[in-house]
Amino acid sequence: MVSQKVTITNPTGLHLRPAGILCKTAMQFRSAVTFTFGNTTANAKSVLSVLGACVKSGDEIEFHCEGADETEALAAMVEAVESGLGE
């Protein structure tokens, strides 16, 4: 398992559109992709799970990837967040 912390930089946090982009990125990989925020663990492949975490701009989340392509999955997830998730 690999993990990395990243700060949400887009101004509106993880609302529907960026959550969809995050999920679309996660679904490209066979590995399990989750993130933790506070006491919440969310499945990054589920839009409802991502939205339910209530992540706002400036919040720090930690991605956890486990599986055959975990390193590539983690790099892609961090890159997606750091690029602003389409915003």
Side-chain angles (χ1 to χ4, degrees):
M1 181 172 85
V2 294
S3 63
Q4 183 175 336
K5 291 183 180 181
V6 65
T7 301
I8 301 300
T9 57
N10 56 316
T12 53
L14 291 182
H15 65 86
L16 189 56
R17 186 175 38 247
I21 292 170
L22 190 75
C23 292
K24 188 175 181 180
T25 303
M27 288 191 298
Q28 296 174 7
F29 301 96
R30 290 178 294 161
S31 296
V33 182
T34 61
F35 69 85
T36 54
F37 171 63
N39 295 329
T40 304
T41 299
N43 177 358
K45 295 183 179 184
S46 164
V47 174
L48 289 177
S49 185
V50 172
L51 290 174
C54 299
V55 179
K56 308 283 187 264
S57 180
D59 289 342
E60 183 177 73
I61 63 174
E62 183 171 8
F63 283 112
H64 304 275
C65 302
E66 185 171 5
D69 53 1
E70 61 189 24
T71 305
E72 296 85 357
L74 181 62
M77 298 306 291
V78 170
E79 170 61 28
V81 170
E82 288 179 346
S83 69
L85 294 166
E87 295 200 336

